[in-house]
Amino acid sequence: MLMRAWRLMAFACLVSPVLSGCGPEPSTTTASLPTTYTCCDSKDVDTIYQPGQHVAVHWNVEMGTDPAAKPPQVELAARLTGPYSSVGDLKNASRGGTQPAPGETTFEAPPVRPSGAADERPVSVISIGTDAQPGYYNLVTSVRQDGGTVSGASVVRVAPKT
């Protein structure tokens, strides 16, 4: 009988800590999260581009949790570097495993500085040169904020101009 009472009390502590008083007290403060920017819509990188076209990098925005916070100073950047004959060559070059390809070029978007407005959807636009060679290009995106930079990379394909 005593064992059954202990089981019942332990169960009550696990199932309803608020009612039984067995659980920890709830936290009264929560840390606010900053607004974050990440790259990008899948269609931005899944599209096959041609020389002379524009790559629109649509930034994903996750609004912060403190509506009274001052909008952060943010700079969004995007660039394409290539061409590489294969995804493997591109990855080896980005790891420093091979020398840059002959004729390697970079196409860069002007920096984007979002205002932090709730409905804002920033876009970086990279113009691919009309003389761009076909192949695989390294799309490098970066977010500079609060004195630090976070970057990522994707692969974009440029086909011969038709």
Side-chain angles (χ1 to χ4, degrees):
M1 180 75 154
L2 185 60
M3 184 65 133
R4 183 176 292 193
W6 278 104
R7 284 186 192 158
L8 186 57
M9 189 168 29
F11 178 75
C13 283
L14 292 173
V15 174
S16 59
V18 173
L19 294 177
S20 68
C22 297
E25 295 206 16
S27 173
T28 57
T29 61
T30 57
S32 64
L33 299 173
T35 297
T36 58
Y37 299 87
T38 57
C39 175
C40 40
D41 290 346
S42 60
K43 69 178 182 161
D44 297 343
V45 294
D46 292 341
T47 299
I48 297 175
Y49 297 92
Q50 292 186 2
Q53 288 187 314
H54 303 286
V55 178
V57 176
H58 296 86
W59 293 90
N60 299 311
V61 181
E62 184 71 32
M63 291 305 295
T65 58
D66 185 0
K70 179 182 156 213
Q73 297 279 324
V74 177
E75 183 175 279
L76 308 173
R79 71 176 186 272
L80 283 176
T81 302
Y84 295 93
S85 59
S86 69
V87 173
D89 287 347
L90 181 152
K91 289 183 178 185
N92 281 337
S94 67
R95 288 191 295 259
T98 59
Q99 293 294 323
E104 179 181 272
T105 188
T106 298
F107 305 108
E108 198 161 349
V112 173
R113 293 176 186 89
S115 68
D119 60 348
E120 187 174 29
R121 183 88 162 112
V123 177
S124 294
V125 179
I126 303 170
S127 297
I128 301 172
T130 57
D131 59 345
Q133 296 298 308
Y136 296 91
Y137 285 73
N138 193 17
L139 171 62
V140 177
T141 57
S142 63
V143 178
R144 187 177 316 167
Q145 180 176 0
D146 297 331
T149 301
V150 176
S151 58
S154 296
V155 177
V156 170
R157 184 168 167 225
V158 174
K161 192 167 188 168
T162 56

